[in-house]
Amino acid sequence: MISVNLLAIFYLVSGVLFILALRGLSSPETSRQGNLYGIIGMALAIGVTILSVGNFSSGFIYLILFLAIGGSVGAFIAFKIPMTAMPELVAGFHSLVGLAAVFVAISAFLNPVVFNLGNPGDIKIASLIEMSLGVSIGAITFTGSIIAFLKLRGIMSGSPITFPGQHFLNLFLGIALLVLIFYLCKTQIPSIFWTLIAISFLVGILLIIPIGGADMPVVISMLNSYSGWAAAGIGFTLENTALIITGALVGSSGAILSYIMCKGMNRSFFNVILGGWGAADQNISEKSKEQKPVKNGNSDDAAFLMKNASSVIIVPGYGMAVAQAQHALREMVDALKKNGVKVSYAIHPVAGRMPGHMNVLLAEANVPYDEVFELEEINNDFANCDVAYVIGANDVTNPVAKSDPQSPIFGMPVLDVEKSKSVLFVKRSLSPGYAGIDNDLFYRDNTLMLFADAKKMTEDIIKSL
């Protein structure tokens, strides 16, 4: 059995490794090293926690057994999951973190003696407050992540689900949670504890259903933050330093990421936290779907334009992820470079369905990091660009965000693709993006629509080159 002092030192080391992991993950060049730090830190934390139990009884055998089963299932899923389903995977894992926090809190409430929290009906007030916050945030994270998973998977409609008085109901339930926590600490009645959990589950659903599919990247980072705070709350209950450090890191980094994403989408950070946004009037899309003329092109047209260009900017989006076109895109870019064409990649902060989605896909195809630029770094370059090759992006290139105050994406910073001399837009159809509105870029005079699967069109362009 490890001594308390030695255990604290190991937990501190794992915490430092987690901080180094976050530092590494802040840049594509150091992300592999960051992942390695995180793996070592987690392995160390789990290992010393197991050794600290000190009782190698049948319970210890069950612990190892379930750890092996869970780890094997997680490894199998992570190995088999396609990159297009990564957002759903993240949402699913967030739900498990929340559910784990709920189960630990229930265990601590029913059997506080084991956790040195007091006796049933006479639990320490500080522990009860921490437990209540942990179980509430955990329950909200669980159901909220499930709704996000269903929306991302297409099982539930990605459109915002709203009803009259929704915000007032959320406010009432939020106040009810605070009142229940107060009375739970005062009376320690089990029925109040179970009611607290039930209402928290409901709040998680109500927070996420009014958020549309276009805003899912922010939802993913927000739920990531919630899962961290749930873990931190339970860490205080269990007096586990590793859980407190890890939860605080995940919670704070997720909150910071959510804030950055909100700035990237011109959203209110507090509205995101409260789930009171993303329910813009989707009927706007109906009146914007009137028939307008578009210019159709093919792979030969696209190859001719790009081969004779001096500069090309690639704008990847979720359509590239669905078609798994990143490797073909890299081949096309290599062919253009041989012809002396300067090629860059423009990444919008909310392109795809989760933060960094496009960066990960391009890294998978070994695209050099110095060719990939964020919106604020490259947006001014479109005015001097010969060809912009938009492959599957939609809302993040829509000029309506700058011109129509009635649009649900108005004010959201978008890539200034329309300023390019020529725009090649690869898309299966003229269907709207996640925001449910038509893209005005489709009908611009300098836009050539390439209706096809993103991978097949890119491969055909390679042949034409």
Side-chain angles (χ1 to χ4, degrees), residues 285-331:
S285 62
E286 296 301 323
K287 63 182 181 183
S288 65
K289 286 182 181 177
E290 59 189 61
Q291 291 297 318
K292 302 175 186 177
V294 296
K295 294 180 181 178
N296 289 350
N298 54 39
S299 57
D300 292 331
D301 300 324
F304 177 81
L305 284 171
M306 286 195 282
K307 190 173 184 179
N308 290 282
S310 59
S311 64
V312 174
I313 298 179
I314 311 291
V315 181
Y318 188 65
M320 182 189 76
V322 172
Q324 288 288 286
Q326 62 269 27
H327 297 284
L329 186 65
R330 169 67 194 272
E331 285 185 52

Side-chain angles (χ1 to χ4, degrees), residues 326-347:
Q326 62 269 27
H327 297 284
L329 186 65
R330 169 67 194 272
E331 285 185 52
M332 185 189 80
V333 170
D334 288 343
L336 289 172
K337 288 179 181 178
K338 290 179 181 177
N339 286 290
V341 181
K342 178 187 175 183
V343 183
S344 305
Y345 297 82
I347 306 296

Side-chain angles (χ1 to χ4, degrees), residues 267 280-281 284 398 400-401 403-411 435 437-438:
R267 305 292 191 182
D281 185 5
I284 297 171
N398 197 338
V400 168
S403 60
D404 185 4
Q406 301 302 316
S407 170
I409 63 171
F410 180 71
I437 57 173
D438 210 10

Side-chain angles (χ1 to χ4, degrees), residues 189-267:
I189 299 174
S191 60
I192 296 179
F193 181 72
W194 297 113
T195 305
L196 179 68
I197 295 175
I199 293 179
S200 298
F201 280 139
L202 179 60
V203 170
I205 296 172
L206 294 175
L207 283 178
I208 306 302
I209 58 172
I211 300 177
D215 304 316
M216 275 301 145
V218 186
V219 174
I220 294 296
S221 61
M222 179 183 69
L223 290 171
N224 177 59
S225 178
Y226 286 175
S227 67
W229 297 127
I234 295 302
F236 279 108
T237 301
L238 303 180
E239 297 182 352
N240 186 295
T241 309
L243 263 181
I244 296 172
I245 294 174
T246 308
L249 285 173
V250 173
S252 56
S253 61
I256 292 169
L257 180 58
S258 297
Y259 176 75
I260 294 172
M261 302 292 283
C262 286
K263 284 188 65 178
M265 298 183 72
N266 194 35
R267 305 292 191 182

Side-chain angles (χ1 to χ4, degrees), residues 42-98:
M42 185 56 69
L44 179 63
I46 293 173
V48 297
T49 299
I50 292 174
L51 293 176
S52 69
V53 174
N55 183 14
F56 295 89
S57 60
S58 59
F60 183 83
I61 302 300
Y62 283 124
L63 175 64
I64 299 298
L65 176 63
F66 288 126
L67 184 65
I69 293 173
S72 300
V73 171
F76 177 78
I77 293 174
F79 181 77
K80 298 292 290 184
I81 200 78
M83 280 305 303
T84 49
M86 191 59 68
E88 295 101 290
L89 177 68
V90 173
F93 282 172
H94 285 164
S95 72
L96 295 178
V97 174

Side-chain angles (χ1 to χ4, degrees), residues 416-427:
D416 295 332
V417 174
E418 77 280 1
K419 294 181 180 179
S420 303
K421 293 178 183 177
S422 298
V423 178
L424 300 174
F425 211 118
V426 183
K427 206 171 185 295

Side-chain angles (χ1 to χ4, degrees), residues 91-239:
F93 282 172
H94 285 164
S95 72
L96 295 178
V97 174
L99 189 60
V102 172
F103 282 155
V104 172
I106 291 174
S107 178
F109 183 79
L110 295 178
N111 198 357
V113 177
V114 175
F115 298 91
N116 297 318
L117 304 179
N119 299 305
D122 187 27
I123 301 173
K124 300 174 188 175
I125 297 300
S127 298
L128 205 55
I129 293 173
E130 296 156 1
M131 189 190 308
S132 301
L133 291 174
V135 76
S136 296
I137 299 173
I140 291 171
T141 304
F142 173 68
T143 50
S145 299
I146 292 297
I147 297 299
F149 174 85
L150 295 176
K151 281 177 174 274
L152 289 167
R153 196 69 178 174
I155 299 173
M156 175 184 287
S157 171
S159 300
I161 300 173
T162 60
F163 55 85
Q166 188 171 29
H167 299 317
F168 290 106
L169 177 59
N170 288 345
L171 177 62
F172 172 77
L173 292 176
I175 295 173
L177 287 177
L178 295 176
V179 172
L180 285 171
I181 291 174
F182 173 78
Y183 276 103
L184 178 64
C185 295
K186 189 174 182 180
T187 64
Q188 302 199 19
I189 299 174
S191 60
I192 296 179
F193 181 72
W194 297 113
T195 305
L196 179 68
I197 295 175
I199 293 179
S200 298
F201 280 139
L202 179 60
V203 170
I205 296 172
L206 294 175
L207 283 178
I208 306 302
I209 58 172
I211 300 177
D215 304 316
M216 275 301 145
V218 186
V219 174
I220 294 296
S221 61
M222 179 183 69
L223 290 171
N224 177 59
S225 178
Y226 286 175
S227 67
W229 297 127
I234 295 302
F236 279 108
T237 301
L238 303 180
E239 297 182 352

